[in-house]
Amino acid sequence: MRARTVMIAALAILVAAAPAFGPSSVAAQGKEIFIPLLVYRTGPYAPSGIPIANGFVDYFTMVNERDGGINGVKITWEECETQYDTKQGVECYERLKGKGAALVNPYSTGITYQLIPKAPVDKVPVFSMGYGMSASSDGRWFPWVFNFPTNYWSQASAVIRYIGQQEGGLEKLKGKKIVHIFHNSPYGKEANPTLEDIAKKYQFELTLLAVDHPGQEQGATWLQVRRINPDWIFMSGWGVMNQVAIKEAASKGVKMDHFIGNWWSASEADVVPAGEGAKGYKGATFHAPGIAFKVHQDIVKHVYDKGKGAGKKEAMGEALYNRGVVNAMYAAEAIRTGMKGGKTAPTQDQIRWGFENLNLADKRLEELGMKGFTHPLKVSCEDHEGSGPIRIQQWDGQKWNLVSDWIAPMRDVVRPKVEAAAVEEGKKLGYTMRDCSKEK
Amino acid sequence: MASVLYAVFVGPFKDMASSPSFLIEVLLGGIATGLMYSLVALGFVLIFKASGVFNFAQGVMVLFAALTLVGLMEKGLPVPIALLVTMAVMILLAFAIERVVLRPLVNQEQIILFMATIGLNFFLEGFGEMLWGANVKRLDVGIPDRSVMLVGIQVNQLEMSAAGTAAVLVTVLAVFFQRTRIGRALRAVADDHEAALSIGIPLKTIWIIVWSVAGLVALVAGVMWGAKSGVQFSLSLIALKALPVLILGGFTSVPGAVVGGLIIGVGEKLGEVYWGPLVGGAIENWFAYVVALVFLLFRPQGLFGEKIIERV
Amino acid sequence: MIYREAGQFKTSYSADQAIFPIVQDRVVVVVAIVAAFVVPTVVADEYWLQAVLIPFLIYSLAALGLNLLTGYAGQLSLGTGGFMAVGGYAAFKLTTAFPQLNIIVVFLLAGLIAAGVGLLFGIPSLRIKGFYLAVATLAAQFFLIWLFNKVPWFTNYASSGTITAPPRSVFGVIITGPNATAEARYVTVLALVAVFALIAKNLVRGRVGRAWMAIRDRDIAAEIIGVRPMRTKLLAFGISSFYCGLAGAEYVFLYLGSAETLAFDINLSFLVLFMVIIGGLGSVLGSFLGAAFIVLVPIFLTNVPHMIGLALPVALMKQIELMVFGGLIIFFLIVEPHGLARLWQITKEKLRLWPFPH
């Protein structure tokens, strides 16, 4: 009885105090750049989310410590846990945008789709690096959404180009069997139309095998792969699907060096459970793995040595850690471009302009300590993708090594599709196409 | 129309006949997977049989057991010691659950107890992750995850060992329930808590025993599945796959869990490999449920479940 | 002392059978509804509307639907997510095929389509009972999600595989699409929920509700006295799916703005079931209370550390949140197994006597 009374009283207090919850809106002071960090450090995708989040935080900490911020303006950030869940992601965004968000990295295709319509209304650029809505590569329809340095369709075409290189030329692909194993979600299906177009063009036999979420049990899929006996396998997976797929492939005796994962299927978390069996597995990437770059030394010097590291020092250099670092670098450079040399925090329109006019040349990359880490990049009004190339990395049992040079995507196949999709998606949201020539 | 009928009813069988060794591989794969589903379903059956509770947290218990084992192994404990310590942890967990969740809710409706296990599910999820971290962990049981060729058929060593372990475990449990005094007591408790109490069966002890055994079964399941895919959060989602096994076999039958598992495992594989391509693949998720549903329509209590006697 | 019925005499049957026979109740409810329409629209900021109130109302509607099926008719169902998906996708297809059709009409039609699907998947309930039925409804859940994933017609062949709510307006006010203000959406949702909650309340007080409860408590005895099980159970499935379908359409159009099938997966079904059980099976108010609990408690737990100045790492906070949430559920069930609605009932009973002890 008493417990019941206590509970009723507690509920009453909760209801009465409810309006006190909610976000504390702190208006941007002009003295700091605030970046909300949507992360997933718990839940089913945590093994992938943790290194990305650490990469972000370490890079921003380093920029504050080493350079005193961007042009002297400090960066502040706040992490918000989304567990890769769309609803939680949107709630995080709504709570944090009131603090003057400079940009948002949703790190989930589902959350990205939710935030894209809000971007022009809230004036917060959505930076979905290498994921999200591929159609947003056409900046004429989506001025506030950026997905450079490359998108899924370009990646698929570049992977085929790599396979062609390995086979001795794209013409040699005729009659070969290529299987695409994909996560049965809009993310996984992204590459399919592009692959089908390229399959028609170069006349190889393409088989598409869907794996249902979450992909914990893939016995049937791999039995089918065994029956088809393909020459090459490409995978667009995510989460536990990757780990199980690599294990199954290894146990079925698939040639691992003919098995290529996309850039979300080629990280340490994916290959570790398979142990020895994962040796030789390849993956696509748009930045280098490892810590052999000056930027890492800077992070060690200014962040870890001062005890401010977000994760473990040994985890630096992991594929997804570097992903976070590169993402943070792009964001910082875009903001710097938008500031145009000024010393106060930029406005939202300036940040958007900065993203759209980002021009990372070799020289600047070297200044950042990232020479060779990633490819030079130029974003423009029409091209929010930067149409960057990819590289192929391979797991040797201990770490990832780059085994190819930069491979360009098949822009002639991909760009028309991007433009068509942009028209479709843009019209759905009621947008009109910008005229880039009028905005110089 | 005729081509659709042909494609559904004739084509796949021709496909099967055209490559019998491949068909056997599919069947073997199905049996192995099915037995691994049964392992998880066993935990559900044990608890439902003895306390009438549908333990929503069984999947998380599988994860928690595997996490504890791997966590201890990572801290440097040798495997046998780590196993013993994990077993002790699961037994402690059973004590805690009985004291905190079950005792206050004695004789409440099934749905209330179900909801309590949902609360337990959330709690263990957060607790396990807090203790051991959210990274994926490699579980090495010493059996290589490689395939060998046996009479022209590819056979996976790890899968076969898992299947063997599951078979042994199930036999032991079946004997335990049917032949021992404790087994009888468990069945009495499942029928009616208060009646069992009134004839002197110690409810508390029985519950602790049952939840401990379920915890140990969860540990075995966790080891087997963890060896296949690494120990991480999605292990708890296996429980969803075990549900059709439960419906098929009946909620209260240990042999039912096995037979149900085999039927679902084999059915799933056959369906996906031979009928899946007709509809674009990835039908595994709902195929098992539909199979179970069809069975249920003919036997509403499952294949081996206790016949539901209704009193008006 | 305040909450007394003394002096309130009913002089007609209809007055006696009113939903809120006590005048104080009626006054409070009317004030509450007016306040619900006016106060948040004027006072609340976008975060509160977008992240708390609108999802709370939509989940309440879905929980109401499930409560009708599980709480009143006793048919345990885990297919709520699937039926909400049917509502969402049906609304999308209808409004893109007939753009001039009023969006409220579209929602209602989507609900009807969901009701049809629910009728279909309710057929096994004629043979299967209890937990077995729950698992059978999971077949509906997984199949429907697979169907929407697989067949591109449902998303109008979109390359992204998501459905996006096109901008639509009612009485000249835009209520869907990216330019719809949170206030407009909130008022629409509140209006729909209020109307359908009233309908549900009347349903359960009438013959249909009594038939459901008879089937729930003693289905064989009910059959003997003339309650037709097939009709009653299928009606329960149909009406419940209508509510869930309507909630699903609102979910996509008035809350999320765009959705992929992952938004309607098994977790949503479980979430709505939790709301129903915590709120109280067999209670219209319980659906609202349960939804409030499930929506508010995680937000409360996320914000409390900020408020008391405790800065914990994000992952640890989430894990503690999960543990506290699970612990709270167990605690609630031990203290009041029949849910929050029963707590409210006890409070009202105590209020009738207060300040006297008996």
Side-chain angles (χ1 to χ4, degrees):
Chain A
M1 260 328 268
R2 279 222 60 215
R4 218 180 256 173
T5 327
V6 165
M7 192 150 72
I8 297 178
L11 275 176
I13 297 177
L14 188 74
V15 168
F21 313 143
S24 44
S25 297
V26 176
Q29 297 295 328
K31 296 247 184 329
E32 290 174 339
I33 297 169
F34 174 71
I35 299 181
L37 284 182
L38 272 52
V39 299
Y40 28 100
R41 292 186 184 269
T42 66
Y45 300 97
S48 307
I50 293 176
I52 298 177
N54 288 343
F56 258 108
V57 172
D58 281 349
Y59 189 82
F60 287 145
T61 314
M62 180 199 72
V63 166
N64 277 349
E65 294 289 319
R66 182 188 70 182
D67 305 333
I70 305 179
N71 281 5
V73 183
K74 289 237 181 213
I75 312 172
T76 61
W77 58 89
E78 186 176 325
E79 285 189 20
C80 183
E81 177 69 28
T82 70
Q83 290 195 305
Y84 197 77
D85 177 40
T86 305
K87 286 193 294 291
Q88 291 185 53
V90 173
E91 200 245 320
C92 276
Y93 169 78
E94 293 288 338
R95 184 156 61 87
L96 294 174
K97 76 179 184 195
K99 297 193 181 181
L103 62 132
V104 65
N105 302 286
Y107 262 106
S108 141
T109 303
I111 303 178
T112 310
Y113 272 98
Q114 293 299 321
L115 296 184
I116 286 178
K118 298 182 202 265
V121 176
D122 296 330
K123 295 200 169 217
V124 175
V126 172
F127 182 28
S128 53
M129 177 183 79
Y131 60 92
M133 186 196 276
S134 299
S136 55
S137 303
D138 190 341
R140 295 173 299 175
W141 285 93
F142 297 96
W144 287 87
V145 185
F146 301 88
N147 59 358
F148 56 82
T150 171
N151 65 32
Y152 290 128
W153 302 349
S154 300
Q155 179 186 207
S157 67
V159 167
I160 300 289
R161 205 197 280 279
Y162 170 76
I163 294 177
Q165 282 174 4
Q166 297 297 104
E167 293 283 348
L170 282 166
E171 334 70 54
K172 295 271 179 17
L173 286 177
K174 182 165 169 175
K176 296 267 183 222
K177 291 192 246 181
I178 301 185
V179 166
H180 180 217
I181 301 186
F182 61 95
H183 187 247
N184 199 14
S185 69
Y187 148 70
K189 294 189 226 172
E190 283 271 349
N192 288 345
T194 312
L195 286 172
E196 283 170 343
D197 281 355
I198 303 179
K200 277 204 225 44
K201 189 165 167 190
Y202 292 104
Q203 295 176 310
F204 57 82
E205 211 180 293
L206 177 69
T207 313
L208 301 172
L209 290 175
V211 171
D212 243 334
H213 178 77
Q216 181 88 29
E217 208 337 272
Q218 291 178 36
T221 312
W222 287 91
L223 280 167
Q224 288 176 293
V225 168
R226 192 171 132 62
R227 186 152 70 140
I228 297 171
N229 201 12
D231 299 287
W232 291 87
I233 306 175
F234 177 48
M235 176 161 78
S236 302
W238 183 229
V240 70
M241 176 184 155
N242 293 335
Q243 287 118 32
V244 174
I246 296 174
K247 271 204 130 230
E248 289 276 354
S251 80
K252 293 255 180 311
V254 164
K255 268 192 302 185
M256 294 310 273
D257 58 356
H258 281 228
F259 184 11
I260 309 177
N262 75 2
W263 53 64
W264 297 114
S265 305
S267 70
E268 274 72 356
D270 301 324
V271 289
V272 154
E276 281 294 299
K279 253 207 262 206
Y281 173 67
K282 292 183 177 163
T285 180
F286 45 83
H287 56 85
I291 51 172
F293 301 92
K294 186 166 170 302
V295 66
H296 293 102
Q297 291 161 12
D298 280 345
I299 293 181
V300 170
K301 188 162 129 205
H302 293 276
V303 177
Y304 281 93
D305 284 350
K306 293 188 193 171
K308 294 189 180 185
K312 293 204 197 66
K313 201 161 128 185
E314 303 76 48
M316 276 176 65
E318 279 187 16
L320 287 176
Y321 177 87
N322 284 358
R323 192 77 44 88
V325 167
V326 111
N327 197 338
M329 182 273 285
Y330 284 144
E333 290 306 301
I335 295 175
R336 189 194 308 273
T337 311
M339 283 164 86
K340 295 194 206 174
K343 297 266 188 266
T344 55
T347 65
Q348 289 168 310
D349 285 301
Q350 284 177 322
I351 296 177
R352 191 206 74 81
W353 187 92
F355 266 100
E356 200 160 76
N357 292 282
L358 181 61
N359 189 352
L360 274 178
D362 259 325
K363 186 161 153 300
R364 179 69 192 142
L365 284 176
E366 193 165 344
E367 284 168 22
L368 288 167
M370 291 191 174
K371 182 173 159 164
F373 186 59
T374 182
H375 199 261
L377 175 74
K378 188 162 168 5
V379 184
S380 72
C381 167
E382 302 91 357
D383 190 4
H384 281 195
E385 182 202 354
S387 200
I390 64 162
R391 295 183 79 163
I392 300 289
Q393 59 186 19
Q394 188 173 36
W395 178 252
D396 68 2
Q398 305 283 351
K399 57 182 179 15
W400 291 100
N401 303 309
L402 288 168
V403 295
S404 83
D405 205 351
W406 290 102
I407 305 169
M410 297 181 191
R411 209 166 151 81
D412 50 327
V413 173
V414 173
R415 183 69 195 180
K417 295 174 82 76
V418 165
E419 291 182 359
V423 172
E424 188 193 319
E425 297 286 339
K427 289 227 172 89
K428 261 199 255 175
L429 290 168
Y431 292 163
T432 47
M433 188 161 94
R434 292 152 75 194
D435 189 346
C436 285
S437 57
K438 293 221 179 73
E439 291 190 20
K440 290 309 163 194
Chain B
M1 187 63 202
S3 62
V4 171
L5 285 172
Y6 181 86
V8 173
F9 290 106
V10 180
F13 293 104
K14 275 183 68 175
D15 205 357
M16 287 188 219
S18 67
S19 172
S21 60
F22 182 67
L23 176 62
I24 297 184
E25 278 180 26
V26 175
L27 287 172
L28 281 177
I31 292 175
T33 316
L35 280 171
M36 291 186 41
Y37 287 150
S38 319
L39 263 183
V40 183
L42 261 181
F44 282 107
V45 166
L46 284 172
I47 294 184
F48 194 82
K49 207 171 159 70
S51 44
V53 177
F54 184 82
N55 180 18
F56 189 77
Q58 187 67 21
V60 168
M61 278 165 67
V62 169
L63 173 63
F64 189 75
L67 271 179
T68 313
L69 179 64
V70 169
L72 289 172
M73 278 165 65
E74 274 181 0
K75 291 239 187 304
L77 286 178
V79 175
I81 311 272
L83 265 174
L84 282 171
V85 176
T86 314
M87 286 202 262
V89 167
M90 296 312 284
I91 296 178
L92 263 175
L93 185 65
F95 268 93
I97 293 175
E98 190 277 328
R99 184 68 191 83
V100 173
V101 179
L102 293 179
R103 208 185 297 180
L105 290 172
V106 160
N107 237 32
Q108 290 290 353
E109 289 155 25
Q110 271 192 343
I111 194 135
I112 306 292
L113 286 163
F114 173 63
M115 191 70 205
T117 60
I118 294 174
L120 185 64
N121 180 50
F122 281 119
F123 185 83
L124 281 179
E125 226 179 81
F127 189 53
E129 215 177 63
M130 193 168 80
L131 281 183
W132 303 111
N135 274 312
V136 63
K137 302 179 199 325
R138 183 169 144 68
L139 182 55
D140 192 353
V141 287
I143 305 166
D145 191 6
R146 289 243 165 255
S147 296
V148 290
M149 293 301 285
L150 214 63
V151 200
I153 299 167
Q154 200 188 47
V155 167
N156 186 307
Q157 290 179 294
L158 186 61
E159 281 188 354
M160 291 302 124
S161 332
T165 317
V168 164
L169 190 60
V170 163
T171 324
V172 165
L173 282 171
V175 165
F176 174 66
F177 269 98
Q178 291 301 119
R179 300 292 154 117
T180 65
R181 221 184 55 184
I182 298 189
R184 263 204 304 281
L186 287 170
R187 283 185 281 147
V189 166
D191 237 356
D192 191 332
H193 296 177
E194 287 194 339
L197 262 178
S198 67
I199 61 165
I201 296 180
L203 217 52
K204 207 171 64 133
T205 325
I206 297 289
W207 277 346
I208 294 178
I209 295 178
V210 162
W211 281 77
S212 308
V213 174
L216 298 177
V217 168
L219 175 57
V220 175
V223 166
M224 288 297 134
W225 280 98
K228 255 185 81 135
S229 66
V231 175
Q232 55 178 308
F233 179 88
S234 47
L235 271 186
S236 57
L237 301 173
I238 297 288
L240 276 180
K241 279 298 187 88
L243 287 181
V245 172
L246 276 176
I247 337 174
L248 199 48
F251 276 85
T252 51
S253 161
V254 170
V258 176
V259 174
L262 288 173
I263 297 179
I264 294 285
V266 170
E268 223 179 50
K269 290 278 177 303
L270 282 177
E272 179 70 42
V273 173
Y274 293 105
W275 275 271
L278 292 174
V279 280
I283 63 174
E284 271 182 81
N285 252 358
W286 56 265
F287 193 73
Y289 282 94
V290 170
V291 167
L293 185 57
V294 167
F295 268 93
L296 263 189
L297 289 173
F298 296 105
R299 265 186 85 87
Q301 68 273 33
L303 283 176
F304 292 86
E306 283 154 18
K307 212 155 168 53
I308 306 168
I309 302 169
E310 303 211 35
R311 295 186 171 73
V312 179
Chain C
M1 193 163 69
I2 309 169
Y3 194 56
R4 284 287 200 182
E5 300 161 54
Q8 294 177 31
F9 302 108
K10 307 284 184 282
T11 50
S12 68
Y13 282 123
S14 53
D16 202 27
Q17 287 168 351
I19 295 183
F20 299 109
I22 307 176
V23 169
Q24 292 92 323
D25 269 341
R26 232 177 294 158
V27 167
V28 164
V29 166
V30 167
V31 166
I33 292 184
V34 168
F37 269 101
V38 168
V39 170
T41 324
V42 168
V43 168
D45 64 354
E46 200 186 330
Y47 171 74
W48 264 94
L49 285 173
Q50 172 64 22
V52 180
L53 289 173
I54 293 180
F56 157 64
L57 286 171
I58 296 179
Y59 285 132
S60 306
L61 195 61
L64 193 51
L66 187 60
N67 216 338
L68 290 176
L69 183 59
T70 303
Y72 285 99
Q75 312 296 311
L76 187 54
S77 159
L78 285 174
T80 321
F83 298 131
M84 285 175 77
V86 172
Y89 279 84
F92 175 72
K93 290 296 295 178
L94 281 171
T95 194
T96 47
F98 306 109
Q100 47 315 17
L101 204 53
N102 189 315
I103 192 74
I104 305 290
V105 175
V106 168
F107 286 163
L108 295 175
L109 286 174
L112 283 173
I113 295 177
V117 173
L119 270 174
L120 190 65
F121 282 103
I123 292 176
S125 73
L126 302 170
R127 184 105 168 103
I128 314 171
K129 296 190 191 154
F131 276 120
Y132 293 105
L133 180 62
V135 192
T137 52
L138 277 180
Q141 164 76 37
F142 286 123
F143 176 74
L144 286 169
I145 297 301
W146 174 86
L147 188 67
F148 291 127
N149 234 339
K150 179 60 50 178
V151 178
W153 178 77
F154 288 109
T155 55
N156 283 341
Y157 301 98
S159 53
S160 59
T162 57
I163 56 172
T164 317
R168 293 281 180 270
S169 52
V170 164
F171 302 132
V173 179
I174 305 183
I175 57 170
T176 67
N179 288 317
T181 60
E183 288 83 7
R185 286 183 282 128
Y186 169 74
V187 170
T188 319
V189 175
L190 184 59
L192 281 168
V193 168
V195 167
F196 281 98
L198 185 63
I199 294 178
K201 183 76 181 163
N202 280 314
L203 260 179
V204 301
R205 291 189 326 141
R207 177 145 45 99
V208 172
R210 282 197 294 276
W212 285 343
M213 290 190 266
I215 294 282
R216 175 193 68 193
D217 291 334
R218 288 267 186 279
D219 52 344
I220 301 181
E223 195 176 345
I224 292 174
I225 62 164
V227 174
R228 275 179 281 207
M230 179 169 97
R231 271 213 201 169
T232 316
K233 288 184 186 178
L234 287 181
L235 192 64
F237 266 98
I239 294 184
S240 159
S241 308
F242 175 84
Y243 274 76
C244 294
L246 181 62
E250 288 180 14
Y251 196 62
V252 175
F253 278 74
L254 298 171
Y255 173 45
L256 290 179
S258 71
E260 47 168 1
T261 51
L262 209 58
F264 294 107
D265 72 350
I266 184 82
N267 291 315
L268 183 60
S269 298
F270 279 124
L271 201 66
V272 178
L273 183 65
F274 301 166
M275 291 178 198
V276 166
I277 299 183
I278 291 232
L281 286 163
S283 152
V284 168
L285 180 63
S287 322
F288 286 92
L289 294 176
F293 181 86
I294 301 273
V295 167
L296 284 180
V297 168
I299 295 187
F300 171 64
L301 289 173
T302 323
N303 284 322
V304 149
H306 290 285
M307 276 166 49
I308 61 178
L310 199 62
L312 291 170
V314 151
L316 186 61
M317 255 169 43
K318 200 60 169 193
Q319 285 149 3
I320 293 184
E321 198 183 294
L322 274 174
M323 286 169 58
V324 170
F325 191 59
L328 268 180
I329 292 179
I330 298 180
F331 176 66
F332 259 96
L333 286 173
I334 294 175
V335 172
E336 184 45 74
H338 294 281
L340 294 169
R342 179 100 186 92
L343 269 185
W344 173 246
Q345 238 187 337
I346 296 174
T347 315
K348 280 209 318 192
E349 279 169 26
K350 293 257 186 298
L351 276 179
R352 289 163 85 122
L353 296 172
W354 184 81
F356 304 110
H358 52 84

